[in-house]
Amino acid sequence: MVGKTESQNGAVKATPAPAMNLESDLFSNFSFKSFKLKTKQQELLLRVSILGLVYILAFITRLFSVLRYESMIHEFDPYFNYRTTLFLTEKGFYEFWNWFDSESWYPLGRIIGGTLYPGLMVTAAFIYWTLRFLRFAVHIREVCVLTAPFFASNTTVVAYFFGKEIWDSGAGLVAAAFIAICPGYISRSVAGSYDNEGVAIFALLLTFYLFVKAVNTGSLAWALASAFGYFYMVSAWGGYVFIINLIPLYVLVLLITGRYSMRLYVAYNCMYVLGMLLAMQIRFVGFQHVQSGEHMAAMGVFFLMQVFYFLDWVKYMLSDTKLFQAFLRITVTSAVAVGALALGVAGLYFCFKKLSDATIFIVMYGLTSMYFAGVMVRLILVATPAVCLISAIAVSATIKNLTSLLRTKSKTAVAGSSKGTGGSKASSKASFDQSQPFQKNGAIALLLGAFYLLSKYATHCTWVTSEAYSSPSIVLAARGAHGNRVIFDDYREAYFWLRQNTPPDAKVMSWWDYGYQITAMGNRTVIVDNNTWNNTHIATVGRAMSSYEDEAYEIMRSLDVDYVLVVFGGVTGYSSDDINKFLWMVRIGGGVFPVIKEPDYLVNGDYRVDKGAAPKMLNCLMYKLSYYRFGELVTEYGKPPGYDRARGVEIGNKDIKLEHLEEAFTTSNWIVRIYKVKPPNNRW
């Protein structure tokens, strides 16, 4: 509505209504200028936004297996972790901590609480209880499947703060992005990879960050936090030994290079003493910190720190420099060996003189982890965070230098000429100004090249994650003749059959690789499993598999075996079957029982399954159970019956008869075969 007002000359003017006045006031008060942020606020908003995107990227890039297959646990060991986590959520921590599992290693059994690292199980159970408290109806299996991606996202946050502590916030963002997509970390943190490493790398990096923060600040709170981070690492993974050796080595280098300070004393003493006491609460670790040789370096550095503190105190008490030097001469004379060692490595001081405490740590972390990764391929997982942080520093510094070169304003050349020295300075300045456009063009080219390489690296990491690390071993996949994906779900088919068609107290004998899956998915008692703590028991199973059927039957009767499970890939071409693992059964069995000799299964040193195979190989239990009825089957067009696609040969024994076992179930693709052990014959 529009109001009317009369002016002095009698003209009538239209006036806006009160509502429109209020609207104009709102627009004037809340203009876009009022939302303008300061430079520091803009940088903070940008960093938080980038870190949030990296956090989401780290999670979703690990979900290929869930999208391609379904939500399931991968591999073999994670099924034991899932089974124990399920028990923890159903029975509680006290029952879990004192659980004696009679379904594993029959008839020996297994004490669960004293033979595992409980950090993974407790973490997943805590997340599950938290979600249930918040009224989210989730199953513990879904929590277990997504635990590793969730902690991978958390690791990116820790990597950001670690990189920021070592270098700057730019390096932190690059480190977070690298660790979000690095294949070395993704290989053990995809959805469904419910193993200790899923949370352990987070704990590893968190412990290192908190300790470096404690060294830089001298804060007791950060030192306490690093001790609790170390405790979490000890509870999660046996790789904590790397921490308890790297940190003392780092402290020793700081002492040698003259970087002793009260900050270092507070950080290391608090972390070592409290961390050691907390670690002793893990039953599987116990008193190893004071008994095991691999923990002695940390104890030695702890006592060395007390020596440095004592010397510092004596120096403070003896204010006279000459008195203190006399005291040092007496002390060094009584400890010649320690003095010689210090003199031998004193030259390191000059190497680290211009480095900070934090950068010394990351250099040592990178060098030691790369060495151990070269010794054992699996430890690439430990080296990945260090490589990401060091690479992030390089990328951040390079990009910062190039962008700063682009931001410099070109200066105009000074006109006119000057005499003497002034003329030469003007000419050199003019030549420098003329070279600036070329420098900027070069910087632009290098920046474009760097961004291109980084984008290609991100594409490569995504491809590797999708194709190499997102295929659960329990569900096999292959490409058909027309390029379509073919799924082999034989493992779960076999375990479901065991659960539904065998007595609850049935005992299943298989090679130890499949023990965790049988107990977790088939819910049946196994003779051996992936814990491999009793070599004699495993050797007994290996002896049964490599013996003749009559001899194997007596061994199975002594173990009270009801069913035997073997994995066979002759039909599908699956090469990771028991025939290809058989020589290890022979070697392990022969290591305990000399009656088993590996040469008896070889022909002139060659391992064969065709007509030229050794007689004992053609008649052992593993051969008979794998190739039973296989001689009647045509597996490939143009090949004879009994053609083994995994080994590319026609089998040597097609007329296999079983006397003491009978076929109970074979999966649709023949990958898993289950046999029932017959009861003894009536002696009447």
Side-chain angles (χ1 to χ4, degrees):
M1 295 178 65
V2 178
K4 295 182 179 179
T5 57
E6 187 173 350
S7 61
Q8 294 179 356
N9 57 4
V12 178
K13 293 184 178 180
T15 60
M20 297 189 68
N21 289 331
L22 178 61
E23 184 178 355
S24 62
D25 291 341
L26 287 174
F27 274 107
S28 61
N29 291 333
F30 295 97
S31 61
F32 288 105
K33 293 183 179 180
S34 63
F35 289 100
K36 187 176 181 180
L37 300 176
K38 297 180 180 178
T39 304
K40 291 185 177 180
Q41 294 175 331
Q42 291 176 357
E43 292 179 355
L44 177 62
L45 180 62
L46 187 60
R47 285 198 297 268
V48 172
S49 302
I50 294 175
L51 188 60
L53 292 175
V54 170
Y55 187 92
I56 297 173
L57 173 65
F59 187 83
I60 62 176
T61 195
R62 289 162 168 80
L63 301 182
F64 281 106
S65 60
V66 175
L67 300 176
R68 185 171 294 162
Y69 299 94
E70 60 180 270
S71 178
M72 69 177 73
I73 306 293
H74 297 188
E75 304 299 335
F76 299 103
D77 290 5
Y79 275 93
F80 168 76
N81 300 331
Y82 167 67
R83 179 168 171 257
T84 52
T85 307
L86 182 63
F87 186 92
L88 172 60
T89 56
E90 292 177 349
K91 304 292 185 179
F93 184 78
Y94 181 81
E95 295 293 332
F96 164 77
W97 201 235
N98 297 279
W99 178 22
F100 179 81
D101 183 15
S102 60
E103 295 185 2
S104 300
W105 292 89
Y106 181 86
L108 305 176
R110 177 182 176 184
I111 301 173
I112 298 298
T115 58
L116 54 68
Y117 295 99
L120 176 68
M121 299 80 178
V122 174
T123 299
F126 179 77
I127 295 174
Y128 171 75
W129 288 329
T130 303
L131 292 174
R132 299 290 291 185
F133 176 78
L134 297 175
R135 297 297 185 270
F136 287 98
V138 296
H139 192 273
I140 184 60
R141 184 188 65 187
E142 314 306 327
V143 175
C144 294
V145 168
L146 297 177
T147 294
F150 172 66
F151 272 86
S153 296
N154 296 336
T155 306
T156 61
V157 179
V158 178
Y160 165 74
F161 285 105
F162 200 4
K164 182 180 179 182
E165 186 70 23
I166 295 172
W167 201 254
D168 56 19
S169 58
L173 288 176
V174 178
F178 276 165
I179 209 163
I181 61 174
C182 185
Y185 184 29
I186 288 179
S187 63
R188 306 296 295 180
S189 60
V190 294
S193 182
Y194 185 58
D195 214 344
N196 294 328
E197 295 92 333
V199 300
I201 298 303
F202 165 79
L204 176 87
L205 207 60
L206 178 65
T207 305
F208 286 156
Y209 163 67
L210 294 174
F211 182 75
V212 171
K213 186 76 173 179
V215 172
N216 286 342
T217 61
S219 170
L220 184 63
W222 288 111
L224 290 173
S226 67
F228 280 100
Y230 175 69
F231 169 64
Y232 183 52
M233 177 65 185
V234 173
S235 70
W237 192 34
Y240 76 90
V241 176
F242 181 73
I243 293 179
I244 204 60
N245 283 278
L246 176 60
I247 288 180
L249 181 62
Y250 162 66
V251 173
L252 182 63
V253 169
L254 292 183
L255 295 178
I256 292 173
T257 54
R259 290 178 175 271
Y260 169 78
S261 63
M262 188 55 62
R263 295 180 289 105
L264 182 64
Y265 182 82
V266 171
Y268 184 74
N269 284 338
C270 180
M271 183 268 176
Y272 175 72
V273 175
L274 182 59
M276 177 181 63
L277 294 176
L278 290 172
M280 288 181 178
Q281 311 311 310
I282 306 299
R283 291 169 59 187
F284 194 39
V285 177
F287 293 94
Q288 291 186 27
H289 280 74
V290 294
Q291 294 177 342
S292 174
E294 59 191 9
H295 298 80
M296 290 300 104
M299 182 179 294
V301 172
F302 171 74
F303 287 119
L304 186 61
M305 286 288 290
Q306 312 316 312
V307 173
F308 269 79
Y309 181 79
F310 175 71
L311 292 176
D312 196 50
W313 176 76
V314 171
K315 183 178 180 180
Y316 173 76
M317 297 298 294
L318 301 176
S319 56
D320 190 351
T321 308
K322 294 183 178 180
L323 289 176
F324 180 70
Q325 290 176 351
F327 173 79
L328 278 183
R329 279 196 297 270
I330 297 174
T331 306
V332 171
T333 304
S334 61
V336 177
V338 177
L341 178 62
L343 289 174
V345 294
L348 291 175
Y349 169 78
F350 299 99
C351 298
F352 296 97
K353 186 176 180 180
K354 295 183 179 180
L355 297 176
S356 66
D357 294 349
T359 52
I360 290 176
F361 175 81
I362 197 60
V363 169
M364 295 185 60
Y365 179 19
L367 293 176
T368 53
S369 61
M370 288 302 294
Y371 168 75
F372 290 115
V375 174
M376 183 178 180
V377 175
R378 187 175 181 180
L379 292 181
I380 289 177
L381 184 66
V382 176
T384 298
V387 174
C388 288
L389 285 166
I390 295 172
S391 303
I393 291 173
V395 171
S396 175
T398 302
I399 293 179
K400 180 175 290 186
N401 292 336
L402 292 176
T403 52
S404 63
L405 185 61
L406 291 177
R407 285 197 297 265
T408 56
K409 297 180 179 179
S410 59
K411 300 178 181 179
T412 58
V414 180
S417 59
S418 302
K419 296 182 180 180
T421 309
S424 61
K425 289 183 178 180
S427 60
S428 62
K429 186 176 182 180
S431 61
F432 173 76
D433 292 336
Q434 292 175 0
S435 65
Q436 276 194 342
F438 298 101
Q439 292 179 354
K440 289 190 175 182
N441 293 335
I444 293 174
L446 291 175
L447 277 176
L448 293 177
F451 287 127
Y452 173 77
L453 292 176
L454 291 174
S455 63
K456 295 298 291 184
Y457 176 72
T459 304
H460 165 73
C461 293
T462 306
W463 179 84
V464 170
T465 304
S466 173
E467 297 298 327
Y469 299 134
S470 298
S471 299
S473 62
I474 197 170
V475 177
L476 308 176
R479 294 289 180 182
H482 302 287
N484 57 311
R485 186 180 295 272
V486 181
I487 303 296
F488 303 112
D489 204 2
D490 290 50
Y491 279 106
R492 295 195 297 177
E493 181 185 352
Y495 300 146
F496 183 77
W497 184 92
L498 276 176
R499 182 188 289 267
Q500 298 295 324
N501 297 279
T502 59
D505 59 347
K507 287 83 177 176
V508 181
M509 185 181 81
S510 69
W511 192 232
W512 62 264
D513 290 13
Y514 322 109
Y516 281 165
Q517 290 184 350
I518 293 173
T519 51
M521 302 187 71
N523 196 25
R524 293 298 176 263
T525 303
V526 296
I527 308 302
V528 292
D529 62 25
N530 309 58
N531 190 32
T532 65
W533 67 276
N534 191 316
N535 187 62
T536 303
H537 217 49
I538 297 176
T540 304
V541 174
R543 180 185 179 185
M545 294 296 190
S546 54
S547 300
Y548 293 121
E549 186 180 356
D550 293 339
E551 300 170 359
Y553 181 70
E554 296 301 325
I555 298 174
M556 290 186 290
R557 292 299 302 168
S558 67
L559 295 175
D560 200 18
V561 174
D562 298 307
Y563 292 88
V564 181
L565 182 147
V566 296
V567 173
F568 174 61
V571 176
T572 59
Y574 178 53
S575 60
S576 298
D577 62 353
D578 284 340
I579 291 293
N580 280 351
K581 299 175 183 177
F582 179 66
L583 283 184
W584 283 108
M585 303 181 194
V586 173
R587 291 163 185 163
I588 295 174
V592 178
F593 304 102
V595 68
I596 304 297
K597 298 179 175 61
E598 184 177 350
D600 294 341
Y601 303 86
L602 305 176
V603 177
N604 297 325
D606 294 332
Y607 179 55
R608 303 177 62 174
V609 297
D610 56 2
K611 293 180 180 180
K616 194 163 187 179
M617 178 67 199
L618 295 175
N619 292 281
C620 68
L621 181 66
M622 175 56 68
Y623 192 96
K624 296 177 73 172
L625 296 184
S626 296
Y627 290 117
Y628 180 68
R629 294 194 303 108
F630 184 69
E632 309 166 2
L633 187 67
V634 177
T635 59
E636 192 170 325
Y637 178 75
K639 300 294 182 180
Y643 180 77
D644 188 338
R645 298 182 64 194
R647 278 144 293 269
V649 296
E650 181 183 357
I651 64 173
N653 186 3
K654 297 183 180 181
D655 188 22
I656 296 176
K657 305 294 183 183
L658 295 175
E659 180 181 355
H660 301 290
L661 294 95
E662 60 182 357
E663 184 179 10
F665 180 71
T666 297
T667 56
S668 55
N669 296 293
W670 284 53
I671 293 179
V672 182
R673 310 195 70 181
I674 302 173
Y675 294 87
K676 183 178 181 181
V677 180
K678 295 180 180 179
N681 294 329
N682 195 332
R683 296 182 179 180
W684 290 98

